[in-house]
Amino acid sequence: MRVKFLIKLRFNLIFKKKNKFLYSLYIFFYGVITSFSLPPYNYWFVNFLTFSLLFILILKNKNENSKTFFLFGYVFGFGYFLSNMYWIPLSLLYDDNFKILIPIAIILIPSFLSLFYAFAFLVFKIFLNSRGIFSNILLFSISLSFFEFIRGSILSGFPWNLFAYSFIENIKFIQITSVIGIYSFNTILITIFIIPSIIYLSKKKNDIIGFIIIILISLFVYIYGGIKVNKFKNLKVE
């Protein structure tokens, strides 16, 4: 009986480790795909897929420990920065004296920047609650955006490739940044990108209301930007 129990326990541990590896692999590719939302590609619509799938996956693993959440955040960040920091090693190709730094630029910089996302996921895990999907979406967005702010400020700042930059070609949508700033806009965008996950995760009244509120906020931001752009175009030129 005891032997049977030990075999079953060992099998569960192996299965759990295998799942964790697969989840980490999925999250890594979510990070890579998300980087295509940035210039020069600007495929911002992929963020609705990657962020929603990411949020669904980590919420399905909400009973995992803090180390797992830290790992998930780190893997997502590493996939994201590894694929969008290509311009740094490319810039080192123009001088033979700097070519030795290319491996450092490829690996160490993404490795360092990924820590900010790892801590964001860790904070999300600490405050994660079961009261509602929408409240957890807001918590995740605020946590991730807060560490984006820290990343842009610490050690003179690394404000590279914020998620908000995916809308850099959408002049109307980014007008709101003149009022609330880039990091607040970043928080709103992360929330917007995650909000489709509610359709899969919840049918509760409060979550559906939250879904509608975010849609209305999105419309407001776009309409405000349209009015501001049109007002600028109608100015008399002297």
Side-chain angles (χ1 to χ4, degrees):
M1 191 78 175
R2 182 178 175 82
V3 174
K4 202 173 184 179
F5 172 76
L6 290 173
I7 292 172
K8 186 177 180 181
L9 181 63
R10 183 175 177 81
F11 176 80
N12 287 338
L13 288 172
I14 293 171
F15 184 74
K16 191 174 182 180
K17 286 181 179 179
K18 185 178 179 181
N19 274 351
K20 192 179 291 186
F21 173 77
L22 286 174
Y23 291 152
S24 299
L25 197 61
Y26 294 152
I27 291 173
F28 173 81
F29 282 111
Y30 294 159
V32 172
I33 295 169
T34 299
S35 68
F36 284 95
S37 67
L38 299 170
Y41 308 103
N42 294 111
Y43 299 145
W44 53 266
F45 49 86
V46 303
N47 287 341
F48 287 102
L49 177 66
T50 56
F51 273 93
S52 294
L53 290 175
L54 173 67
F55 187 75
I56 290 170
L57 192 150
I58 62 176
L59 219 59
K60 289 293 184 181
N61 289 273
K62 62 183 179 182
N63 294 324
E64 292 286 345
N65 56 35
S66 298
K67 289 181 181 179
T68 301
F69 270 67
F70 187 89
L71 172 66
F72 285 167
Y74 190 86
V75 169
F76 176 76
F78 190 74
Y80 181 68
F81 290 114
L82 183 68
S83 54
N84 64 37
M85 289 295 177
Y86 58 86
W87 54 271
I88 297 178
L90 284 179
S91 66
L92 300 174
L93 291 172
Y94 293 96
D95 192 323
D96 290 337
N97 295 321
F98 293 123
K99 285 184 178 180
I100 194 173
L101 298 175
I102 290 177
I104 297 175
I106 292 174
I107 302 299
L108 290 188
I109 293 177
S111 297
F112 171 69
L113 295 178
S114 300
L115 288 171
F116 293 96
Y117 290 177
F119 282 111
F121 277 52
L122 180 61
V123 170
F124 173 67
K125 167 62 179 176
I126 293 171
F127 292 99
L128 181 62
N129 61 70
S130 57
R131 285 176 290 183
I133 300 300
F134 182 67
S135 60
N136 284 322
I137 288 175
L138 293 179
L139 175 62
F140 182 81
S141 303
I142 292 169
S143 177
L144 191 56
S145 189
F146 175 71
F147 278 92
E148 286 273 70
F149 170 75
I150 293 177
R151 176 167 71 87
S153 307
I154 198 170
L155 300 175
S156 77
F158 301 89
W160 306 324
N161 298 351
L162 296 174
F163 301 119
Y165 296 163
S166 61
F167 274 83
I168 201 165
E169 289 189 345
N170 194 315
I171 301 299
K172 292 181 180 179
F173 214 75
I174 63 174
Q175 292 304 308
I176 196 71
T177 57
S178 63
V179 179
I180 64 174
I182 189 67
Y183 290 105
S184 296
F185 180 61
N186 203 43
T187 307
I188 292 173
L189 273 188
I190 294 170
T191 307
I192 292 171
F193 292 145
I194 299 174
I195 208 68
S197 65
I198 285 182
I199 299 172
Y200 174 80
L201 292 170
S202 176
K203 297 294 188 293
K204 292 181 180 179
K205 182 179 178 181
N206 290 342
D207 293 326
I208 298 301
I209 291 172
F211 180 90
I212 295 170
I213 288 172
I214 296 301
I215 296 298
L216 292 176
I217 289 174
S218 304
L219 289 173
F220 169 78
V221 169
Y222 187 79
I223 292 170
Y224 169 81
I227 292 171
K228 192 169 183 181
V229 169
N230 290 333
K231 187 177 180 181
F232 176 79
K233 288 179 178 180
N234 292 329
L235 289 174
K236 292 182 179 180
V237 180
E238 294 184 7

